[in-house]
Amino acid sequence: MPLPMHPMQTRSKSGIVKPKPFEDYQCYLTTIPSFHEAAEPATYKAASQSSVWIQAMREEIEALHTQVKKNSDGSVARHKARLVAQGFSQALGLDFSETFSLVVRHTTVRLVLSIAAMNKWSLRQLDVKNAFLHGDLEEEVCMRQPQGFEDSAYPTHVCGLRKSLYGLKQAPRAWNAKFTGHLPALGFTVSHSDPSLCVKRVGLDSVILLLYVDDIILTGSKDSLVQEVIDELSAVFEMKDMGRLTYFLGLQISYHDNGDIFVCQTKYARELLAKAGMDTCRPCTTPCKPHCQLLASEGDSLSDPTIYRSIAGALQYLTFTRPDLCYAVNTVCQYMTQPSYLHFQLVKRILRYIHGTLDHGLTFTSGSWDLHAYSDADWASDVNTRRSTTVFVVYLGNNPVSWQSKKQNSVSRSSTEAEYRALANTTADLAWVRQVLLDLKVFLPQPPTIHCDNLSALALSSTPVYHSRIKHLDIDFHFVRERVQKKDLIMQYIPTEEQVADIFTKELHGPIFLRHCRNLQLSSSAGFEGE
């Protein structure tokens, strides 16, 4: 191959093939750019060429001896630099031991939103400044001095960390322990069912606190009591009062004049469509075609399954406020191991449906204080394994707070067996939701009700004569029937056409699908206003 004749001297023309060495730093500065900037500085050297980023780094160093925060519309709140330790160089047992840190469950967030809407309580949001810097370290950890900020008198010395630092493996756990350890001093009691949920009782009034890393949601029966908690927290931790809750974990929250709360993920969905190159696609009315099931081995395998897995994983988070996507997303996630081009068409169908329903989300309204659920199963529905699908949806009043569409762990030998296993899963979830409500001092006027469209499964829950025929279901049988006998649970028959959970079991035709979407309180954002 002849060499090019241009006069520019290159490394290859000079015969230099040795790779260029790059220095490995023990810690480094990461920065997040403005939305309007062409590219972010990836190294300290690049950042040091800009006066804006130099100032941001100086502010961060002063805070230690603020990461770019974005609003829900994508605009930049302010520039912020962060000193980050290279946690990947830490050794287990030497620099850290435990790294696990609790995060709030999705069902708990929806429960709190539902309680706030039903009581007409206001929702407040707090952001902890430099949250991970508050954590106390139990281990002795040292790191090199930050590049560009070395002490001229001791350039070869290392930094001994007394407090936690971003990038350390134990940083999230140390912060969580610090914050939750202080809450009992303020009168809060931690929920046994979800340790990220705390409640404070003052007479007949209460304050509910939800913690997700450094984001905090507060609501309560008295605004003055909530403000008192904010003042007490601000006296110990450096807090930023974000005011009324409008954006949390990618959720966009808006409000109606009558107190209803609307929650959607429009911004997240738009970004997902753009990532998949489907932001200009033709929309469709349902997320999956009826009677369209594929074998795991069907179709030619994708040469690079990365994009399939990435989109399918991202779709799972969208089901936070979109239960209408639950069945379709659960289906495509079963082909993660070796997805084909035909499987990818199923993913594209979901994206087309999302494109046509971008402004859809959940509406939390006021209503009666009753807990009820719809339980269903699709017997031997998986064409690959012939396992059944367990589905349920749990309501607090009119508001759906928990749902599931999941393949059962083993093959069921009859539709009754499949339905009864679904009843057992629904009973377990109802028990957990009820315990959370008890931790929040929310007492229900009557036992929870499960609606089921299978008469045989209902008979098993109350008739002992059937027990000898289902020895293989012994545990599930006792688990459900024990609660029915104690009158902690009410079983009720419902016709199949009124079975709301049917939307989680199979592909449905448009009219039926849309009717169930309305039953799930899904609607557009029209009529709601955020702040």
Side-chain angles (χ1 to χ4, degrees), residues 466-482:
Y466 283 89
H467 186 201
S468 61
R469 304 181 189 177
I470 55 162
K471 290 182 179 178
H472 53 290
L473 280 177
D474 194 54
I475 295 176
D476 285 342
F477 172 83
H478 285 293
F479 179 68
V480 177
R481 189 168 180 270
E482 185 179 89

Side-chain angles (χ1 to χ4, degrees), residues 60 82-85 129-133 164-168 171 214:
E60 169 69 2
R82 179 77 70 202
L83 177 64
V84 181
K129 297 182 180 179
N130 299 312
F132 285 5
L133 307 184
S164 178
L165 192 66
Y166 284 85
L168 294 178
D214 60 348

Side-chain angles (χ1 to χ4, degrees), residues 240-515:
K240 182 179 180 181
D241 188 351
M242 310 291 287
R244 197 179 193 184
L245 177 67
T246 57
Y247 192 67
F248 177 75
L249 304 180
L251 310 178
Q252 296 164 254
I253 297 96
S254 48
Y255 303 87
H256 197 274
D257 294 338
N258 63 1
D260 291 352
I261 299 174
F262 179 77
V263 187
C264 67
Q265 293 170 278
T266 302
K267 178 177 178 290
Y268 179 85
R270 281 203 181 99
E271 292 173 351
L272 177 56
L273 288 172
K275 172 185 175 181
M278 299 281 287
D279 47 345
T280 58
C281 64
R282 179 169 56 88
C284 59
T285 56
T286 59
C288 48
K289 292 181 180 179
H291 313 295
C292 181
Q293 291 189 335
L294 298 176
L295 295 171
S297 58
E298 197 166 350
D300 297 329
S301 298
L302 292 171
S303 57
D304 183 9
T306 304
I307 185 65
Y308 180 97
R309 293 166 181 165
S310 177
I311 296 174
L315 284 171
Q316 286 186 310
Y317 188 64
L318 195 55
T319 61
F320 193 115
T321 59
R322 298 292 300 271
D324 52 331
L325 300 174
C326 196
Y327 172 78
V329 173
N330 176 54
T331 300
V332 298
C333 286
Q334 295 178 25
Y335 306 122
M336 289 281 209
T337 303
Q338 194 173 3
S340 70
Y341 287 96
L342 290 179
H343 300 147
F344 199 38
Q345 292 303 314
L346 301 181
V347 173
K348 288 185 176 181
R349 171 86 182 194
I350 299 174
L351 294 174
R352 287 173 55 205
Y353 171 71
I354 293 172
H355 187 265
T357 56
L358 272 173
D359 62 344
H360 280 47
L362 287 177
T363 303
F364 294 95
T365 65
S366 58
S368 59
W369 288 87
D370 67 294
L371 191 63
H372 60 281
Y374 295 85
S375 174
D376 199 7
D378 199 9
W379 180 45
S381 58
D382 191 328
V383 295
N384 295 285
T385 63
R386 283 306 172 193
R387 292 186 184 181
S388 306
T389 301
T390 287
V391 302
F392 64 77
V393 55
V394 178
Y395 285 79
L396 178 61
N398 300 323
N399 308 317
V401 294
S402 180
W403 52 81
Q404 184 185 79
S405 176
K406 183 180 180 181
K407 189 163 60 175
Q408 293 183 357
N409 294 328
S410 60
V411 176
S412 297
R413 291 183 283 177
S414 66
S415 60
T416 300
E417 181 178 337
E419 293 277 0
Y420 204 82
R421 282 180 172 159
L423 275 180
N425 279 20
T426 309
T427 302
D429 197 77
L430 269 177
W432 182 85
V433 171
R434 192 178 187 184
Q435 184 57 52
V436 173
L437 292 175
L438 288 175
D439 292 341
L440 295 174
K441 310 303 179 185
V442 176
F443 301 100
L444 302 174
Q446 61 184 18
T449 302
I450 296 182
H451 301 280
C452 177
D453 60 2
N454 188 280
L455 289 171
S456 298
L458 290 175
L460 284 174
S461 65
S462 57
T463 308
V465 72
Y466 283 89
H467 186 201
S468 61
R469 304 181 189 177
I470 55 162
K471 290 182 179 178
H472 53 290
L473 280 177
D474 194 54
I475 295 176
D476 285 342
F477 172 83
H478 285 293
F479 179 68
V480 177
R481 189 168 180 270
E482 185 179 89
R483 281 158 177 76
V484 174
Q485 287 182 328
K486 292 168 61 178
K487 300 191 182 303
D488 285 339
L489 191 63
I490 299 173
M491 294 293 180
Q492 193 171 83
Y493 174 76
I494 188 172
T496 301
E497 56 270 16
E498 298 178 20
Q499 176 59 274
V500 179
D502 200 39
I503 194 174
F504 300 117
T505 63
K506 62 178 76 72
E507 309 91 348
L508 298 174
H509 291 281
I512 302 176
F513 179 81
L514 293 176
R515 174 162 59 86

